[in-house]
Amino acid sequence: MSSGQDPVFPQYETETTQTSKLLRKFKETPFVPIGMAGFAMVVGYGLYRLKHRGDMKMSLHLIHMRVAAQGFVVGAITCGVLYSMLREYVVKPKE
């Protein structure tokens, strides 16, 4: 065995900061942060509306908010898949 440790995956271990890794991931898959932000916005709006829901039952309100949040995330994932398919198969990069 060698005295120094060799990196297992050198292409992934060259970037040491978490911010640079996060920015690289956002550039690779731009619709993931959009889905995460949309989910957070729906949850924030749901918490805001929780106070002013009127005579609506709590369980019904939570079900509506869950469906809205899941719908936004699934929509963002679908757009991301379509975007990556468009980039890979329609607009082929020059090799």
Side-chain angles (χ1 to χ4, degrees), residues 22-85:
L22 187 65
L23 289 175
R24 180 177 50 86
K25 279 296 191 184
F26 284 173
K27 287 178 185 175
E28 290 174 3
T29 55
F31 285 94
V32 171
I34 292 171
M36 291 168 44
F39 176 78
M41 288 180 0
V42 168
V43 167
Y45 178 73
L47 290 174
Y48 171 75
R49 293 296 300 167
L50 186 65
K51 201 174 212 182
H52 308 288
R53 70 180 187 272
D55 60 348
M56 182 187 293
K57 288 185 177 181
M58 172 74 96
S59 61
L60 187 61
H61 177 75
L62 293 177
I63 288 171
H64 287 170
M65 290 299 107
R66 180 185 64 91
V67 169
Q70 282 179 332
F72 196 92
V73 171
V74 168
I77 290 172
T78 303
C79 289
V81 168
L82 292 175
Y83 175 73
S84 67
M85 286 174 59

